[in-house]
Amino acid sequence: MSTRIPGPSSAMRKRPRQARSRATVAAVVQAGAQLLGEKGWAGFTTNEVAEVAGVSIGSLYQYFPNKLALVDAIRQRHFDEVLAVLDRAADGGTPAEALVDGMIAVHSANAALHRVLLDLPDPDGSGAAYRAFQAEYLRRYEAVVAALDGGRDGIVAQVLSSAVEGVIHNAARRGVLQSPEVRRELTRLVLGYLGRGA
Amino acid sequence: MSTRIPGPSSAMRKRPRQARSRATVAAVVQAGAQLLGEKGWAGFTTNEVAEVAGVSIGSLYQYFPNKLALVDAIRQRHFDEVLAVLDRAADGGTPAEALVDGMIAVHSANAALHRVLLDLPDPDGSGAAYRAFQAEYLRRYEAVVAALDGGRDGIVAQVLSSAVEGVIHNAARRGVLQSPEVRRELTRLVLGYLGRGA
Amino acid sequence: MSTRIPGPSSAMRKRPRQARSRATVAAVVQAGAQLLGEKGWAGFTTNEVAEVAGVSIGSLYQYFPNKLALVDAIRQRHFDEVLAVLDRAADGGTPAEALVDGMIAVHSANAALHRVLLDLPDPDGSGAAYRAFQAEYLRRYEAVVAALDGGRDGIVAQVLSSAVEGVIHNAARRGVLQSPEVRRELTRLVLGYLGRGA
Amino acid sequence: MSTRIPGPSSAMRKRPRQARSRATVAAVVQAGAQLLGEKGWAGFTTNEVAEVAGVSIGSLYQYFPNKLALVDAIRQRHFDEVLAVLDRAADGGTPAEALVDGMIAVHSANAALHRVLLDLPDPDGSGAAYRAFQAEYLRRYEAVVAALDGGRDGIVAQVLSSAVEGVIHNAARRGVLQSPEVRRELTRLVLGYLGRGA
DNA sequence: AATGAATGAGAATTCATTCAT
DNA sequence: TATGAATGAATTCTCATTCAT
């Protein structure tokens, strides 16, 4: 089993045209996201995904040529969600607080999945999508950096984003993601790094 | 395979008495650490460990009753190393810089392994060892926090440690762990959070 | 391998729905019964069962979660057959002769399997089924005892049944199970024991 | 592992000459007999025999070229003991009672081993020894038969011996081997069979 | 003679993937 | 299109046996 690395794979085998097909694909991706978060990469099996999705394993492979393609779809969907949440959150209050709240919101939904998705083997299989997300993700951070601390280069955004992720993943692992203290300290961390006190 | 939960596992099956067997055990743990870091938990196979270690699969199982016991040994060895590096690094310069340098040094050796080890399934198998390490690890951070920003409670140490880890893991993933800029920014992050500006 | 004690095991993993899968299960149980009798518990391998059954090892495990579950199914099927033969045989002639003929018939089919099944490790895995069979089995003997030698308690049935089994297993081992002399002497043994009071 | 059938094997590799060697061999056979009875053929491992015997696995193979040779030695020793007990028991009381008491005594010591030894795979490996034992064993039974029921041929001894074995093995399995009722009924069985002419 | 470390074929079991219906 | 039965390579782990010390 395990890490057989097939060709480019990635893409979906068929584009679902009818409503039923779209529902099948959605159910599979949804079940896949849930299971990938719950069980991690090891322990993530296509057979169980199909079962939880309520479709046959044959149907799963009708739309996804292999396991990696399914994971790619899950990643894509998750990244879209992350950016959407970030967008929505960016409209409220001050930049730092909006960022922190947005990140907490994103991870509250599915912190485990997010972490798993970052550590995935062969993130080069879907390199393009992955890099596109990373770029977009950093762009948001850079906006925050620029707003608070003009004239810094990209490295600040990178350091900031990974620091925030580190804190949030750890808090999620400890089950204290909703704690007001974490939110407060994380905001302090961002503001302390970027310039002026709260 | 997947997440089979064996008994207490953990301990070694046999204590190696002769020099030859001690060398075997060391080779296995060494190869295991390398492969676990390289391939992650999925993709980590006992057969490959034995092969890379240059011993037979039978020899591996002579000393480790199962895969988890081997992982426990790897984790134990790695934790010991981390604390040792932290100790050594803590003696130089200012607290913040010593910390940053120490963490970078630790992860330069094996950042991937460190990340994998944190995300491992069933870290409760060796619960005691794991918690002991966590406690000791945070204690070092608290010392730094106290030195720079007296009178804060434990949450600051937790936030700080996870932020630093996040930055370092990310930098390691991008292959820029040795970059002076990263070192500089990470130090700024720590100082910005804990008290005085850069 | 040896005596690994898995969970409840016992039950089948999947119920075969289509005709094809029912045929697969039947072939596996049939091949398993044959091989278990031929080779004994040691030397009984799931891989060979699958091969003899003409199915893949994967198919075997699709229906039986582990080796023990397969053995349970074999046992169940064999016990059903034994009772069925006993029933049929009980209708003919005098009780003693019917019993002897029935037992010989049962063991002619698969004496080795019967012996192996009694000596199996962990017959508590399927404890209920096993005890149910034992109880039913003894009930038949008690009927014979009652018919020939009213007013004796259960121990007579137990002694009688184990004596008959001993003779038949031994005759089977020597390949003389069909011998008329054995049949005659076994009948004499039963009648001699039950016929006249001590 | 398992049922690799080597050549004639059987014989011992070396004849132990010194006292220490003889002690080693005796300890191995003793431990082997115990473990074979306890665990059955499956679950009987040479490594554990050596461990329980308190010798190294290397020493075991110094005297026994393979597993089967060890089992042969165990069988031989057990058969000798059985015949010795039979001899001793044959001197007391009436023939039937002496036989029953002797058989119960033999099996009380190690009923499980006796049963395992009969069901062993490849009893042809040590065919000669096995047949010699069987012949001798039946000769004792024939003596009893002759004493009680002169003028019968060998089949009576065979039926009688296997009936007695069946009862005793079953009683041993149920843990009621010492029960006076079993002894009484077994005696009745023997007398009932042999007592009166056909 | 004894030791025990090392070996590796073989056995149980999983899971990605295919294909007949 | 959907289904689910079937496949078999890959993985974990055991144990009889050898051999250097």
Side-chain angles (χ1 to χ4, degrees):
Chain A
M1 64 114 259
S2 91
T3 327
R4 211 100 43 72
I5 296 158
S9 71
S10 301
M12 265 178 45
R13 197 200 282 275
K14 267 184 193 178
R15 200 135 295 276
R17 299 183 185 288
Q18 306 184 0
R20 185 160 49 138
S21 312
R22 255 177 282 119
T24 295
V25 169
V28 167
V29 173
Q30 167 57 32
Q34 174 193 324
L35 289 170
L36 189 53
E38 271 172 29
K39 316 249 177 147
W41 173 254
F44 176 70
T45 73
T46 52
N47 282 287
E48 193 177 5
V49 170
E51 188 182 313
V52 170
V55 305
S56 70
I57 183 64
S59 289
L60 189 157
Y61 276 89
Q62 200 105 66
Y63 295 108
F64 302 96
N66 53 49
K67 204 183 180 182
L68 225 41
L70 170 57
V71 171
D72 280 342
I74 294 168
R75 175 157 37 205
Q76 194 57 63
R77 193 189 77 151
H78 181 69
F79 285 169
D80 288 350
E81 284 172 9
V82 168
L83 294 181
V85 170
L86 244 39
D87 275 345
R88 254 175 279 130
D91 294 338
T94 75
E97 277 152 1
L99 178 77
V100 167
D101 289 349
M103 290 300 290
I104 288 178
V106 165
H107 288 83
S108 294
N110 210 341
L113 176 61
H114 193 81
R115 217 176 49 223
V116 168
L117 248 18
L118 290 183
D119 277 354
L120 233 52
D122 194 40
D124 307 297
S126 67
Y130 183 71
R131 273 189 294 277
F133 168 73
Q134 281 290 334
E136 190 58 26
Y137 190 61
L138 280 177
R139 205 163 302 135
R140 318 283 167 133
Y141 269 97
E142 281 166 1
V144 177
V145 170
L148 290 174
D149 183 39
R152 297 306 200 88
D153 54 37
I155 187 145
V156 175
Q158 279 179 26
V159 166
L160 184 66
S161 71
S162 52
V164 170
E165 283 212 336
V167 173
I168 285 185
H169 286 162
N170 204 281
R173 192 151 46 209
R174 296 170 185 271
V176 295
L177 191 49
Q178 303 301 336
S179 148
E181 285 175 312
V182 166
R183 179 179 180 281
R184 184 211 335 130
E185 289 302 315
L186 189 49
T187 307
R188 284 192 58 243
L189 179 77
V190 173
L191 292 174
Y193 179 43
L194 291 186
R196 285 142 293 270
Chain B
M1 64 112 263
S2 91
T3 321
R4 208 100 43 72
I5 296 159
S9 73
S10 302
M12 264 178 49
R13 198 201 281 275
K14 239 185 197 178
R15 200 137 292 279
R17 300 178 189 291
Q18 308 182 357
R20 185 163 48 134
S21 48
R22 253 177 282 119
T24 295
V25 168
V28 167
V29 173
Q30 168 57 32
Q34 174 193 323
L35 288 169
L36 189 54
E38 272 173 28
K39 317 254 177 144
W41 171 254
F44 176 70
T45 75
T46 53
N47 280 294
E48 194 176 5
V49 171
E51 189 182 359
V52 170
V55 305
S56 71
I57 184 64
S59 288
L60 189 157
Y61 279 93
Q62 195 116 79
Y63 298 105
F64 302 96
N66 52 51
K67 207 182 177 184
L68 226 39
L70 170 57
V71 171
D72 280 342
I74 294 168
R75 175 160 37 207
Q76 193 58 63
R77 193 188 76 151
H78 181 69
F79 285 170
D80 288 349
E81 284 173 9
V82 168
L83 294 181
V85 170
L86 244 38
D87 274 345
R88 253 175 280 130
D91 293 337
T94 74
E97 278 151 0
L99 179 78
V100 167
D101 289 348
M103 290 300 291
I104 287 178
V106 165
H107 289 82
S108 295
N110 212 341
L113 176 61
H114 193 80
R115 217 178 48 225
V116 168
L117 248 18
L118 290 183
D119 280 353
L120 232 53
D122 194 40
D124 307 296
S126 67
Y130 183 72
R131 274 190 295 278
F133 168 73
Q134 280 290 334
E136 190 58 26
Y137 190 63
L138 280 177
R139 206 164 301 136
R140 317 283 166 134
Y141 269 96
E142 280 166 2
V144 177
V145 171
L148 292 173
D149 184 38
R152 296 308 200 85
D153 55 38
I155 187 143
V156 175
Q158 280 179 24
V159 165
L160 183 66
S161 71
S162 51
V164 171
E165 283 212 336
V167 172
I168 286 185
H169 286 162
N170 206 281
R173 194 152 42 210
R174 296 167 185 272
V176 295
L177 191 49
Q178 303 301 336
S179 148
E181 286 176 311
V182 166
R183 180 178 179 281
R184 181 203 347 121
E185 290 301 316
L186 189 48
T187 308
R188 283 191 59 244
L189 179 76
V190 173
L191 291 175
Y193 179 44
L194 291 186
R196 284 141 294 268
Chain C
M1 61 108 265
S2 89
T3 320
R4 207 101 43 73
I5 296 158
S9 71
S10 304
M12 265 179 46
R13 198 201 280 276
K14 240 186 198 179
R15 199 136 294 277
R17 298 178 191 292
Q18 307 182 358
R20 186 162 50 134
S21 48
R22 253 177 283 120
T24 296
V25 169
V28 167
V29 173
Q30 167 57 32
Q34 174 194 324
L35 288 170
L36 189 54
E38 271 172 27
K39 317 252 178 144
W41 172 254
F44 176 69
T45 76
T46 53
N47 280 292
E48 194 177 5
V49 171
E51 189 181 359
V52 169
V55 305
S56 71
I57 185 63
S59 288
L60 189 158
Y61 278 93
Q62 195 116 78
Y63 298 105
F64 302 96
N66 52 51
K67 206 182 176 181
L68 226 40
L70 170 57
V71 171
D72 280 343
I74 294 169
R75 175 161 36 209
Q76 194 56 64
R77 193 188 76 151
H78 181 69
F79 285 170
D80 288 350
E81 285 173 8
V82 168
L83 295 181
V85 171
L86 245 38
D87 273 346
R88 253 175 281 129
D91 293 338
T94 75
E97 276 150 3
L99 179 78
V100 167
D101 289 349
M103 291 300 291
I104 288 177
V106 165
H107 289 82
S108 294
N110 212 341
L113 176 61
H114 193 80
R115 219 176 47 224
V116 168
L117 248 17
L118 290 183
D119 279 352
L120 232 52
D122 193 40
D124 306 297
S126 66
Y130 183 71
R131 274 189 295 278
F133 168 73
Q134 281 290 335
E136 190 59 26
Y137 191 62
L138 280 177
R139 204 163 303 136
R140 317 283 166 134
Y141 270 96
E142 281 165 2
V144 176
V145 171
L148 291 174
D149 184 38
R152 296 307 198 87
D153 56 39
I155 188 149
V156 174
Q158 280 180 25
V159 165
L160 184 65
S161 71
S162 51
V164 170
E165 283 213 336
V167 172
I168 286 186
H169 286 162
N170 203 280
R173 195 152 43 212
R174 294 169 187 271
V176 294
L177 191 49
Q178 303 301 337
S179 147
E181 286 176 312
V182 167
R183 179 178 178 282
R184 181 207 343 126
E185 289 302 314
L186 188 49
T187 308
R188 283 191 59 243
L189 179 76
V190 173
L191 291 175
Y193 180 43
L194 293 185
R196 286 143 291 267
Chain D
M1 59 118 260
S2 91
T3 327
R4 210 101 44 73
I5 295 158
S9 73
S10 302
M12 266 177 46
R13 197 199 281 278
K14 267 184 193 178
R15 199 135 295 275
R17 299 182 185 289
Q18 307 182 359
R20 184 160 50 137
S21 311
R22 255 178 281 118
T24 295
V25 168
V28 167
V29 173
Q30 167 58 32
Q34 174 194 324
L35 288 171
L36 189 53
E38 271 173 28
K39 316 249 179 148
W41 174 255
F44 176 70
T45 74
T46 53
N47 281 289
E48 193 177 6
V49 170
E51 189 183 313
V52 169
V55 305
S56 70
I57 182 65
S59 289
L60 189 156
Y61 276 90
Q62 200 105 64
Y63 295 108
F64 302 96
N66 54 48
K67 205 184 181 182
L68 225 41
L70 170 57
V71 171
D72 281 342
I74 294 168
R75 176 159 36 206
Q76 193 57 63
R77 193 189 77 151
H78 181 69
F79 285 169
D80 289 349
E81 283 173 10
V82 168
L83 295 181
V85 170
L86 244 39
D87 274 346
R88 254 176 278 128
D91 294 337
T94 74
E97 277 152 1
L99 178 77
V100 167
D101 288 349
M103 290 302 290
I104 288 178
V106 165
H107 288 84
S108 294
N110 210 342
L113 177 61
H114 193 80
R115 218 177 46 224
V116 168
L117 249 18
L118 290 183
D119 278 352
L120 233 52
D122 193 40
D124 307 297
S126 68
Y130 184 72
R131 272 189 296 278
F133 168 73
Q134 281 290 334
E136 189 59 26
Y137 190 62
L138 279 178
R139 206 162 301 135
R140 317 283 166 134
Y141 269 96
E142 281 166 0
V144 177
V145 171
L148 290 173
D149 184 38
R152 295 308 198 86
D153 56 37
I155 186 139
V156 175
Q158 280 180 24
V159 165
L160 184 65
S161 71
S162 53
V164 170
E165 283 212 336
V167 172
I168 285 185
H169 287 162
N170 205 281
R173 193 153 42 211
R174 295 169 185 270
V176 294
L177 191 49
Q178 303 301 336
S179 147
E181 284 176 312
V182 167
R183 180 179 179 280
R184 182 206 344 125
E185 290 301 315
L186 188 49
T187 308
R188 283 191 59 245
L189 179 76
V190 173
L191 291 175
Y193 180 42
L194 294 184
R196 282 142 294 266

